[in-house]
């Protein structure tokens, strides 16, 4: 016999009234209908919604907004009309102040749930105080890089925009509210050039056609702009014949510095192929983070929000507490952004990174800036660091900085940090869940104490939050 309440249970397509009381870490609204939790995309805490049930699971369900009965005071109009279809901005419908509060709360919740820490938003004894998320004064147009897929639109003409969620259909978009304004100018110029010269767009289902993606980058402090055309090598003669005209037109865009051509013959989602040719200009642009100059080629990794990178790494530098005599490790160093930042204030910096190309860039960047006290290693942090420590057991390391990818640090890496026992650990994280997990290990097993937690908003309008944490050692070296 079925329990009585199941007869009343909600079903797909039912209409229900829901008050949104919380948001998931992915930015979906959570509210209860008859004590049953529903997840609702594009909802804001404080909204009262008439929602249509989309899918029911045993203990929760999914619904969508059918009608907004009472909008939350935190709700704002969408700046970009394509925001819901694109999915790149998950929380554009929230006021910026509410976005920042959400991010602080997310860090606190992860520290509590995953790390088991007594994390709070106000200063107090015996608690882990999480500072307010540092936001931008203008949370738009912060991205210095646009990667725009090119294809054939429904009307048969070449178009560019973004992939519809869960598909590769290109939804035309003339302008992204997060990218720099020149990106849309370059896009418009390339599309009309393609049309005029009958240069085809790549069609991934048939593996035919020419232009696949536009990669457009800008150095925000130098103003320099790069376009890299990513092509499937078909009808290249026609493309090459039309290039002089493209170059001439690009020169009309303020800051334009270089044009590159990247060839990608592969099926699949990887945007850049292996071959890049410089067609015009030096093949790279330059930008500054703080006082450090970086050379950016089409393949180079570079933080996409340079203004907030400066804020984040400024905090990391502050937390490292350098006086000029310290020896520092920068684990997961990428192109050496943090390493070179720290090297200006330290005696010696060692960096380690798994991607060889990034290490080549890091070395070049050190040279470009006349920084002679940074040394870089290629390899996995969890292998390079223990091997180095075995060879140099007596060298004092004062500070270790880590900036791992979303999966966080390898256990072996944390163990080696414990053995090397630096006075301070600075943890820069792009995922507060793995951050909380790793902080728990460092505090419970290796004698560290959390001293400061500062979230930084590197990606306004999205659910992502970066966090920088200062830890210091409370026990004497006991391991190893
Ligand atoms: N601090 C850097 C980038 C950090 S992103 C900057 O600002 O430029 C994380 C970096 O970790 C990436 O460059 C990635 O290639 C690298 N990485 C991933 N796994 C790694 C590992 N096991 N050991 C060392 N580096 C790794």
């Amino acid at each position: 016999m079925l329990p009585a309440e199941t007869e009343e249970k909600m079903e797909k397509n039912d209409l229900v009234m829901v008050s949104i009381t919380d948001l998931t870490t992915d930015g979906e609204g959570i509210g209860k209908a008859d004590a049953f939790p529903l997840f609702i995309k594009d909802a804001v805490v404080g909204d009262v919604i008439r929602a249509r049930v989309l899918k029911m699971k045993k203990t929760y369900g999914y619904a969508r907004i059918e009608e907004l009965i009472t909008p939350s005071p935190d709700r704002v109009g969408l700046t970009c009309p394509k925001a819901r279809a694109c999915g790149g901005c998950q929380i554009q419908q929230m006021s910026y102040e509410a976005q920042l509060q959400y991010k602080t709360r997310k860090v606190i919740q992860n520290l509590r749930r995953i790390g088991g820490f007594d994390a709070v938003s106000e200063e107090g004894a015996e608690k882990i105080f999480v500072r307010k998320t540092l936001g931008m004064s203008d949370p738009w147009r912060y991205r210095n890089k646009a990667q725009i897929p090119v294809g054939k639109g429904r009307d048969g003409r070449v178009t560019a925009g973004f992939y519809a969620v869960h598909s590769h259909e290109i939804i035309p978009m003339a302008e992204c509210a997060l990218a720099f304004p020149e990106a849309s100018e370059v896009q418009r110029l390339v599309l009309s050039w393609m049309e005029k010269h009958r240069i085809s767009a790549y069609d991934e289902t048939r593996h035919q056609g020419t232009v696949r993606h536009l990669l457009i980058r800008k150095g925000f402090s130098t103003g320099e702009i790069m376009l890299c055309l990513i092509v499937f090598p078909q009808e290249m003669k026609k493309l090459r014949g039309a290039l002089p005209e493209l170059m001439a037109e690009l020169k009309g865009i303020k800051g334009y510095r270089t044009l590159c051509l990247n060839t990608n013959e592969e099926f699949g989602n990887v945007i850049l192929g292996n071959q890049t040719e410089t067609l015009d200009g030096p093949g790279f642009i330059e930008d500054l983070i703080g006082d450090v100059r970086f050379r950016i080629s089409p393949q180079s990794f570079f933080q996409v929000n340079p203004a907030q990178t400066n804020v984040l790494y400024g905090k990391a530098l502050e937390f490292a507490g350098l006086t000029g005599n310290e020896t520092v490790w920068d684990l997961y160093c990428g192109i050496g952004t943090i390493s070179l930042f720290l090297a200006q204030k330290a005696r010696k910096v060692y960096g380690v990174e798994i991607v060889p190309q990034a290490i080549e860039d890091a070395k070049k960047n050190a040279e470009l800036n006349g920084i002679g006290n940074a040394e870089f290693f290629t390899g996995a942090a969890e292998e390079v660091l223990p091997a180095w420590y075995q060879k140099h057991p007596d060298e004092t390391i004062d500070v270790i900085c880590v900036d791992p990818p979303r999966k966080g640090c390898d256990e072996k890496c944390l163990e080696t940090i414990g053995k090397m026992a630096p006075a301070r650990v600075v943890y820069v994280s792009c995922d507060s869940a793995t951050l909380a997990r790793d902080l728990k290990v460092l505090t419970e097993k290796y004698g560290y104490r959390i001293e400061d937690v500062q979230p930084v908003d590197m990606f306004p309008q999205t659910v992502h939050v970066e966090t920088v944490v200062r830890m210091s050692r409370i026990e004497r070296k006991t391991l190893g």
Side-chain angles (χ1 to χ4, degrees), residues 169-318:
E169 185 197 345
I170 293 175
I171 308 222
M173 179 157 73
E175 186 159 19
C176 167
L178 302 189
F180 53 97
E182 295 90 337
S184 53
E185 264 184 76
V186 173
Q187 172 182 331
R188 203 167 345 127
L189 192 151
V190 175
L191 287 183
S192 60
W193 168 78
M194 284 175 71
E195 211 158 67
K196 180 172 170 197
H197 294 273
R198 297 181 183 282
I199 292 163
S200 59
Y202 174 67
D203 173 346
E204 64 178 5
T205 51
R206 288 162 46 224
H207 208 40
Q208 270 179 17
T210 309
V211 180
R212 300 175 72 135
H213 268 87
L214 310 180
L215 166 65
I216 312 165
R217 302 182 94 161
K218 179 176 180 182
F220 278 14
S221 30
T222 58
E224 296 175 359
I225 288 171
M226 155 195 293
L227 166 64
C228 180
L229 289 176
I230 299 154
V231 299
F232 180 68
Q234 204 174 53
E235 300 188 293
M236 289 303 283
K237 227 171 147 183
K238 186 155 81 181
L239 179 112
R240 287 189 188 277
L243 281 173
E245 194 175 316
L246 178 63
M247 287 177 216
E249 287 190 32
L250 284 168
K251 293 207 164 55
I253 288 178
K254 192 163 168 271
Y256 163 74
R257 181 150 191 227
T258 194
L259 172 65
C260 299
L261 183 73
N262 176 277
T263 310
N264 183 358
E265 297 187 45
E266 304 295 321
F267 285 101
N269 290 335
V270 178
I271 294 176
L272 280 167
N274 296 327
Q275 271 178 22
T276 307
E277 188 186 330
T278 302
L279 298 173
D280 187 30
F284 59 82
I285 53 170
E286 292 186 337
D287 201 11
L288 295 159
I289 306 250
D291 296 329
V292 187
R293 185 169 281 269
F294 292 90
R295 182 170 287 192
I296 307 159
S297 44
Q299 285 97 337
S300 302
F301 170 83
F302 193 65
Q303 294 283 354
V304 297
N305 183 340
Q308 289 297 88
T309 300
N310 205 2
V311 172
L312 183 76
Y313 293 172
K315 269 286 157 202
L317 182 62
E318 179 193 321

Side-chain angles (χ1 to χ4, degrees), residues 301 303 313 332-335 337-338 353-355 379-382 403 405:
F301 170 83
Q303 294 283 354
Y313 293 172
Y332 313 87
C333 71
I335 56 165
T337 330
I338 297 179
E353 159 63 45
I354 206 161
V355 175
E382 60 274 18
D403 183 9

Side-chain angles (χ1 to χ4, degrees), residues 33-150:
D34 293 335
F36 191 83
L38 289 172
F39 295 106
I40 304 175
K41 207 172 142 316
D42 306 315
V44 177
V45 173
D47 278 345
V48 180
I49 287 165
R50 195 192 318 280
R52 183 157 317 262
V53 177
L54 295 172
K55 198 155 112 197
M56 291 293 285
K57 300 268 187 184
K58 268 212 180 85
T59 53
Y60 61 91
Y62 295 94
R64 72 173 152 74
I65 301 175
E66 189 80 12
E67 190 188 347
L68 199 53
I69 307 286
T70 317
S72 159
D74 293 333
R75 182 173 270 284
V76 294
L78 291 174
T79 295
C80 169
K82 308 261 167 126
R84 290 177 83 163
C86 167
C89 295
Q90 303 90 18
I91 51 173
Q92 210 182 84
Q93 66 282 0
M94 279 163 71
S95 72
Y96 191 50
E97 196 44 46
Q99 291 184 22
L100 295 175
Q101 283 167 9
Y102 162 73
K103 292 183 187 196
T104 310
R105 217 164 49 235
K106 180 166 160 173
V107 173
I108 291 175
Q109 277 174 3
N110 279 331
L111 287 176
R112 285 173 166 264
R113 285 184 196 150
I114 300 168
F117 297 106
D118 198 1
V120 291
S121 59
E122 274 159 35
E123 252 172 305
E126 304 302 315
K127 309 247 186 210
I128 307 288
F129 166 50
V130 177
R131 289 178 192 274
K132 282 190 178 154
T133 302
L134 292 173
M136 303 186 76
S137 52
D138 176 11
W140 301 101
R141 303 226 171 266
Y142 59 83
R143 285 185 62 98
N144 59 9
K145 174 168 124 176
Q147 295 185 114
I148 307 165
V150 178

Side-chain angles (χ1 to χ4, degrees), residues 289 294 301-303 309 312-313 330-339 352-356 358 377-384 401-410 413 428 430 458 466:
I289 306 250
F294 292 90
F301 170 83
F302 193 65
Q303 294 283 354
T309 300
L312 183 76
Y313 293 172
D330 176 20
L331 311 181
Y332 313 87
C333 71
I335 56 165
T337 330
I338 297 179
S339 320
V352 57
E353 159 63 45
I354 206 161
V355 175
F377 300 87
T378 309
E382 60 274 18
E383 288 167 16
V384 170
C401 181
V402 302
D403 183 9
R406 302 192 72 167
K407 68 173 196 278
C409 294
D410 189 276
C413 179
V428 181
C430 57
M458 296 275 275
E466 293 266 334

